[in-house]
């Protein structure tokens, strides 16, 4: 079997889908994307295409090594995200070739269903509490919110109180049986993250995500050692090498590789195995589309130290595949059933991709402080 073509679809709201075709009629789908840099990733795909056309799609690890190591310069969000989407599509092909889900080829499932959490927020404590109740009524027992932006490096007591008041209102609304995570989104300085963690600790957050930017692991460790709240990070780390230092130093309790950024499904499994040796859990990052979710579910099914799976829970349910998949995913009782179909277990509605296509020019929001200087989103 040989790869014959690779096609890209820029799809609303901000996604990039990849279709890999073979001479045996088997096709595979992946989601190679850097949010706000989809056009750049598409160029990287075209460059990698020159190598892949004519190759055997079943030699996934061989191709991964050549794509990652073969151009001398390694890593980074653009290259590894391009590789990630290709890798997902190759596993989809391999699973269809052998007529089994990807997780069966990675050791088989270790659980019967996959626990999910969705996003939840609100401009006021009352709104956040009401939205949290709606998520629980829909069957979720875990939700995630975020701190308001922008956050100054040393912010005011009023800001801290505003964030704690919202979290406390949600906790009171849903009770102690529901997990509530909070995403600092890398927009908070280590000093401010410590102050916020101290104030939030009485309300038992499930975890704090990206309490500070990931480039300086010693500062991440400083935050982790200041609080009993588990620290999660990883959406901006690439490949197993990107996670090594944070795990070795004990700076992270929950790794969050994004399978569209970190190297794909098998690389995610390697990251999870590394984390397992440090008694850390894995909760794959996923604010993207249904192919990304499909890839995550394959990993979740076969990974012992899996904790919980993110999906953004858009009102339109596009992220679950509504309108894009022949059979969208369903969340029932806060869980998704283990996929049973071959490969990624999905069938793409290609006509919908064409109908909902756009120029791929979605850009990351840009924030500023009141003095006009740049602020982290």
């Amino acid at each position: 079997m040989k790869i014959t073509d690779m096609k890209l679809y820029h799809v609303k709201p901000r996604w990039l889908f990849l279709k890999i075709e073979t001479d045996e009629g088997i096709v595979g789908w992946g989601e190679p994307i850097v949010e706000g840099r989809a056009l750049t990733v598409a160029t990287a795909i075209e460059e990698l295409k020159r190598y892949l056309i004519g190759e055997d799609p079943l030699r996934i690890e061989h191709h991964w090594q050549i794509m990652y190591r073969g151009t001398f310069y390694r890593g980074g969000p653009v290259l590894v995200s391009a590789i990630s989407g290709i890798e997902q599509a190759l596993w989809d092909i391999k699973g269809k070739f052998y007529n089994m889900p990807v997780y069966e080829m990675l050791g088989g499932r270790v659980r019967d269903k996959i626990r999910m959490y969705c996003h939840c927020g609100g401009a006021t404590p009352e709104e956040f509490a009401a939205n949290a109740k709606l998520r629980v009524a829909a069957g979720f027992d875990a939700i995630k919110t975020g701190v308001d932006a922008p956050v100054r490096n040393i912010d005011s007591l009023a800001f801290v109180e505003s964030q704690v008041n919202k979290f406390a209102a949600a906790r009171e609304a849903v009770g102690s049986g529901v997990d509530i995570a909070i995403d600092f989104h890398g927009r908070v300085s280590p000093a401010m993250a410590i102050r916020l963690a101290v104030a939030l600790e009485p309300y038992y957050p499930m975890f704090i995500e990206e309490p500070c930017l990931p480039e300086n692991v010693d500062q991440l460790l400083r935050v982790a050692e200041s609080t009993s709240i588990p620290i999660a990070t990883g959406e901006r780390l690439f490949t197993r090498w990107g996670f090594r230092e944070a795990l070795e130093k004990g700076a992270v309790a929950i790794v969050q590789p994004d399978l569209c950024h970190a190297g794909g499904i098998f690389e995610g499994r390697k990251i999870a195995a590394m984390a397992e040796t440090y008694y850390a859990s894995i909760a794959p990052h996923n604010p993207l589309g249904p192919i990304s979710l499909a890839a995550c579910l394959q990993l979740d099914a076969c990974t012992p130290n899996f904790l919980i799976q993110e999906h953004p829970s858009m009102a339109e349910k596009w992220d679950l595949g509504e309108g894009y998949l022949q059979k969208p995913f369903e969340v029932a009782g806060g869980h998704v059933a283990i996929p049973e179909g071959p490969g990624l277990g999905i069938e793409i509605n290609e006509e919908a991709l064409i109908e909902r296509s756009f120029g791929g020019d979605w850009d990351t929001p840009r924030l500023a402080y009141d003095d006009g200087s740049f602020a982290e989103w």
Side-chain angles (χ1 to χ4, degrees), residues 18-132:
L18 168 67
K19 178 185 181 183
I20 297 182
E21 299 177 346
T22 69
D23 60 358
E24 294 194 13
I26 301 175
V27 303
W29 290 91
E31 194 166 339
I33 182 69
V34 174
E35 300 89 313
R37 291 294 180 267
L39 298 173
T40 312
V41 175
T43 300
I45 293 285
E46 292 297 328
E47 291 174 341
L48 293 167
K49 180 178 177 180
R50 295 198 298 265
Y51 158 69
L52 288 163
I53 296 298
E55 293 292 330
D56 178 358
L58 303 183
R59 299 183 67 190
I60 299 172
E61 180 68 13
H62 178 67
H63 298 322
W64 195 99
Q65 293 291 330
I66 289 175
M67 289 187 292
Y68 184 74
R69 298 166 60 193
T71 56
F72 185 76
Y73 295 100
R74 305 179 186 186
V78 173
L79 174 62
V80 184
S81 295
I83 292 171
S84 298
I86 292 169
E87 194 260 12
Q88 294 167 6
L90 295 180
W91 277 111
D92 196 25
I93 291 170
K94 194 176 185 104
K96 291 170 181 175
F97 182 81
Y98 288 111
N99 193 32
M100 63 178 68
V102 173
Y103 62 77
E104 289 289 1
M105 295 182 283
L106 297 180
R109 65 182 178 88
V110 296
R111 54 185 44 83
D112 298 324
K113 57 185 179 179
I114 296 167
R115 188 185 183 204
M116 308 288 289
Y117 75 85
C118 63
H119 295 181
C120 183
T124 65
E126 295 76 19
E127 184 178 339
F128 182 26
N131 289 336

Side-chain angles (χ1 to χ4, degrees), residues 289-349:
I291 301 176
S292 172
L293 178 58
C296 289
L297 295 176
Q298 296 296 323
L299 176 67
D300 303 340
C302 65
T303 301
N305 55 327
F306 165 75
L307 179 66
I308 195 165
Q309 177 60 56
E310 174 181 24
H311 81 108
S313 188
M314 296 165 55
E316 299 87 352
K317 295 187 178 180
W318 288 357
D319 59 300
L320 295 175
E322 196 72 46
Y324 289 113
L325 303 184
Q326 300 291 359
K327 185 179 179 182
F329 293 106
E330 294 183 5
V331 181
H335 291 76
V336 167
I338 302 292
E340 296 181 351
L344 295 181
I346 56 175
E347 294 182 41
I348 299 290
N349 181 354

Side-chain angles (χ1 to χ4, degrees), residues 230-275:
I231 299 300
T233 196
E235 69 187 80
R236 286 186 273 195
L237 300 177
F238 312 107
T239 75
R240 74 205 88 147
W241 292 281
F243 285 82
R244 179 189 59 80
E245 186 181 2
L247 285 167
E248 287 180 351
K249 290 183 174 179
V252 58
I254 302 159
V255 295
Q256 297 176 299
D258 189 310
L259 301 193
C260 295
H261 301 326
I265 298 169
F266 194 36
E267 190 67 12
R269 187 65 189 87
K270 293 174 183 178
I271 293 165
M274 287 173 59

